[in-house]
Amino acid sequence: MGIKVVFMGTPDFAVPTLEALVAQGWDVLVVTQPDKKVGRKHVLTPPPVKVAALKHGLRVLQPQKVREEASVQELAAFQPDLIVTAAYGQLLPASVLSLPRVGAVNVHASLLPRWRGAAPIHRAIMAGDPETGVTIMEMVQALDAGPMLECRAIPILDTDNVGSLHDKLAQLGATMCQEVLPQYVDGRLTAIEQPEDGVTYAARIERADEFIDWTASVTAVDQHIRGLSPWPGATAWDGELTYKIWSAHKSPAATKLEPGQVRRIGSDIVVGCLDGALCLDEVQPSGRRKMAARDWFGGIRQDVFTFLKGSPS
């Protein structure tokens, strides 16, 4: 009989890991979040993992709460050798973690113990970390605190945003699963406890986190914008309206503007920060489409425009 795996994941990040498990030839039962209504028309939409699973003809479960007795019994009836999770979106109770013969492991998008929690990719870029990576760890009841089977690092480039880094880490996690999990199932790997030093938490991104502090350094503002793009987006405001700042780059000129002050300099739309300026690339005024910064600034018909510091009170 082949290895029986329960895979639990939901968003795009989890799809390459699912594909890696299928490529092993293992018997995979997929557990994902329920379909959700999406967009203005509230179209009921399956999560990416469900879409990928159905393409492979895999059985898919979508419990509202995986901890409910009926869900636990259904998983127990499968008699899994292994549980693998990747961005599933629900905490697993002890009744689920104890089911597999070998163990339950999680594919986490950070170099643990740094950035335990919900938003490790965002927080790593926003903090200016020079590198991040993927950790495969055994699961325990505490949040992302289990013993580690493997950690691999990649650099965070000055051009990376959440989207590009997300894709790199998703593929890295899948590659690691292909190489690490067969050894784990065969008993050839020993997990190592996470060090107590260096623990940080990647809190979920809240609305207040999105607003840009233009009195920060150019580097910090650049990291803030890249660390929130393409979702949920860094936000500026002018005292009345809000604006999504989707992309920007450091101004090559020695431009001196007051923090938040926006001007056209040559062909660039430039905004001041504490120690220099950023060139805005893409802006989206509230209620409107995303547009080139030049088009937005040309449309407001002002020589000087000012974003305020922080968020509305």
Side-chain angles (χ1 to χ4, degrees):
M1 293 292 290
I3 300 299
K4 302 177 76 173
V5 181
V6 172
F7 175 70
M8 298 180 168
T10 300
D12 288 320
F13 178 83
V15 171
T17 295
L18 172 59
E19 299 285 355
L21 297 176
V22 171
Q24 293 288 342
W26 292 344
D27 184 5
V28 182
L29 170 63
V30 175
V31 182
T32 190
Q33 295 277 55
D35 297 359
K36 289 187 176 181
K37 294 180 179 179
V38 174
R40 294 181 179 179
K41 295 185 178 180
H42 302 288
V43 177
L44 193 63
T45 303
V49 161
K50 180 180 179 180
V51 174
L54 293 179
K55 287 180 180 178
H56 290 287
L58 302 177
R59 181 181 169 205
V60 178
L61 304 180
Q62 294 179 275
Q64 290 288 344
K65 295 182 179 179
V66 74
R67 64 176 56 249
E68 291 179 348
E69 184 61 27
S71 296
V72 176
Q73 289 181 0
E74 196 162 15
L75 295 176
F78 183 65
Q79 297 182 319
D81 297 296
L82 186 65
I83 289 177
V84 178
T85 71
Y88 171 46
Q90 294 188 37
L91 294 176
L92 303 189
S95 58
V96 172
L97 294 177
S98 63
L99 290 177
R101 175 182 62 84
V102 177
V105 302
N106 180 45
V107 180
H108 183 76
S110 82
L111 299 174
L112 292 172
R114 186 162 176 80
W115 302 131
R116 294 175 180 175
I121 302 176
H122 297 76
R123 297 297 180 182
I125 297 176
M126 293 169 75
D129 289 2
E131 65 178 8
T132 188
V134 171
T135 303
I136 297 180
M137 62 176 171
E138 293 182 325
M139 297 182 71
V140 296
Q141 296 261 242
L143 179 65
D144 297 329
M148 302 180 294
L149 294 171
E150 181 86 0
C151 272
R152 293 186 190 174
I154 61 171
I156 299 177
L157 306 179
D158 289 343
T159 54
D160 272 325
N161 62 14
V162 171
S164 65
L165 195 56
H166 166 281
D167 292 350
K168 294 176 188 179
L169 294 174
Q171 291 300 326
L172 176 60
T175 299
M176 290 170 64
C177 283
Q178 287 182 312
E179 298 172 3
V180 170
L181 294 184
Q183 298 179 60
Y184 180 60
V185 169
D186 291 345
R188 292 181 283 136
L189 277 185
T190 301
I192 300 172
E193 293 292 337
Q194 294 186 31
E196 294 182 7
D197 293 337
V199 174
T200 60
Y201 289 92
R204 190 178 305 277
I205 301 296
E206 304 291 348
R207 175 64 171 163
D209 295 322
E210 297 174 17
F211 285 87
I212 300 168
D213 178 4
W214 300 104
T215 65
S217 68
V218 168
T219 296
V221 175
D222 174 62
Q223 290 164 352
H224 187 92
I225 293 169
R226 291 187 292 110
L228 293 171
S229 179
W231 65 88
T235 302
W237 78 301
D238 63 5
E240 295 183 10
L241 301 177
T242 58
Y243 305 78
K244 289 292 187 183
I245 309 299
W246 292 112
S247 60
H249 64 275
K250 295 179 182 179
S251 174
T255 306
K256 181 60 179 176
L257 297 172
E258 292 299 316
Q261 189 178 73
V262 185
R263 285 181 177 270
R264 182 188 296 273
I265 298 179
S267 61
D268 293 325
I269 308 304
V270 181
V271 58
C273 302
L274 176 66
D275 57 354
L278 281 175
C279 296
L280 300 179
D281 296 323
E282 289 185 302
V283 177
Q284 184 174 8
S286 179
R288 299 179 62 188
R289 61 176 176 80
K290 183 187 301 186
M291 63 186 71
R294 295 186 188 96
D295 295 338
W296 162 70
F297 196 74
I300 63 175
R301 301 180 185 279
Q302 297 181 35
D303 292 333
V304 181
F305 184 86
T306 301
F307 290 130
L308 300 184
K309 172 188 174 182
S311 61
S313 57

